[in-house]
Amino acid sequence: MTVSLFFQHLANGISLGALYALIAIGYTMVYGILRLINFAHGDIVMVAAYVAFYGAAMYALPWWLAFPLAILLTAGLGMIIERAAYRPLRGVPRIQLFTSAVAVSFLLENLGIVVFSGRPKAFPRPAFLDKPLHVGDVIIISYTPVAVAVALILFGGLLYIVHRTKVGMAMRALSKDIETTGLMGVDTDRVIMIAFAIGSALAAAGGILLAIKFPQINPLMGVVPGLKAFIAAVLGGIGNITGAMIGGFLLGIAEIMIVAFFPQLAGYRDAFAYTILIALLLFRPTGLMGEVEPEKA
Amino acid sequence: MRTSITRNRILTVLALAGFVVFLVYAQTNWDAYRLRILNLCAVYTIFAVTFNLIYGYTGQFSLGHAGFAAIGAYAAALLTMSPEQKAANFFLAPIIPLLRDVEWPFLPALLVGGTLAALASLLIGWPALRLRGDYLAIATLGFSEIIRVLFVNWQRITNGSLGLKGIPDHTNVYWSWGAALVTIFVVKRLVDSSYGRALRAVRDDEVAAQALGVRLFTHKMMAFMLSSFFVGVAGGLMANLISTIDPKVFMFFLTYQIVGITVMGGMSSLTGSLVAAVLYTVFLEVLRPIESPFDLGPLHIPGIPGMRMVLFSTLLLLVILFYRQGLFGQREFSWDGLLNTLARLHRRVTGLWGRTPPPSTVDKGEQ
């Protein structure tokens, strides 16, 4: 493999990793607070892509209006899901909460099939993301740096919220102990809802980038990236936002590189992430940056 | 008490005999379409009962059903297909010599399918069953997807994404309901045994169960493997029923449906799983017209593909949110319960005559 080809693959892996990272953060935030794997997160990604599609293709909105609008609406959807399907189940065994998440995911996928139709749709790609850029010998499409920049900017914004604002402080407190945080005068339901909104907004950004990268959308498009992003979150140490970011990029690069170095494994590419997950759970369940914590009921 | 046990046995035997008569009648008189639904009812019953064993009784959220069913389905299909059928199927790449000329009877093929599924569950259970609930769910779901990816890629064993066509239609109502009844019987005996109590202890509080000397891992693994074995058998029944399979049949959607059926029937109620599986299969057929266009007087209503699943998943969510116990909760069907209910109805009807009411001291929760 030539050096330039290697960098070509690396760029490809990084742009895939940016997607995983954005989606993984939502998983990790919700898990950090509620100890819930928000199974519907991948389907939120899908909804965002469709909203952006309808905005840009059907109503002919310019992308700079359609995309933020989609992110905003998806954040709202995340809040609605939290309010309707998760909040009524506070205090019941966690497994019930997870069952509810599975049901929400199932519902969103089926609604997607009915409302958007099961047939894949071509996603309009803004022209400025389609330009080839020459960096030495390596040709990358202008989408790649934009995707990475979007991921890093949103990540920076999130770090600011979590570590420098009052809401962020409340989130960090909630992840330690919900009940006590409530007793300290924090409106826990509101903070949890904000966490869902932020997580869904990031997932929406990821979904739009996903739709641009593979310019085709269908109602089940979120499932596999969702699962993989979850694996990325586990890889980085679930509950740790920086870990999710790093895990996302690592997983994206690893997936591309495995196929680049072993082309005969190309068909097994989708199985690779799950194998990582199972190996991780066997040898290092806390992931790269996770801390061992006592079991929480 | 003894008389009531004898009476219940007699009633059970009578009910089973009645059911067999019904099956014979259906198998000889019903058309292929209704028979297929009846068979599917049995397959979904096995799926739901086994999911109930691992989730409802043991508290382990496994989302691997589709993968285990795929293993059983492919094993049974490949073992029962005739060499000519296989040659016709594998036109892209020849089938491996080991499987080329085998053509087994149905029963050993089903058993091999179940055994392979159980072995696969050992493989994934080993790392995954040490994990907490939702991690287990993701790990098993991932495993089930790995199986699907492998089956797409093992061109010379599974015929890849082309799938298998022309699988012999061995499955009839005797096979399917026979397997369903055996599954119910085995699972029922297990959950009523001391092992079953240990499983429930694991579900309710792992730490307490461990303190009482229950070996967590062994018990979880036993339930998991037993459940997977029957899922594999059900997969084989399904393959020899629908006669065409490909890896897409065994996507996560199948698992979600099984979760839904079980939750709606009631966790820790085998009666609930049975009733919900039958209701689900029948309603899915009854509601089939809403997905195809139809005319309502002067109105032309276009069909909405996928609408049935939207209704189903909405109902599932509502059950989880507002009626968490499902149809049966933890209750099981029992003759005592049924007779008490009948007696109560009878008393209400004939109450005016002042007859002595039959004793209703038997606890309904007991078998």
Side-chain angles (χ1 to χ4, degrees), chain A residues 31 39 99 109 238 267 295, chain B residues 55 132 135 153 253 256 324:
Chain A
Y31 192 89
F39 206 73
T99 319
E109 283 159 23
I238 191 125
E295 180 101 350
Chain B
Y55 179 45
R132 285 194 318 244
Y135 270 87
N153 282 284
F253 257 43
Y256 292 176
R324 232 170 298 141

Side-chain angles (χ1 to χ4, degrees), chain A residues 24 27-29 31-32 230-248 280 284-291 293, chain B residues 135:
Chain A
Y27 274 115
T28 244
M29 282 180 73
Y31 192 89
F230 171 76
I231 292 169
V234 177
L235 181 65
I238 191 125
N240 183 318
I241 294 174
T242 313
M245 193 75 185
I246 295 172
L280 255 180
R284 198 177 160 79
T286 50
L288 298 175
M289 303 186 63
E291 45 200 282
E293 56 169 316
Chain B
Y135 270 87

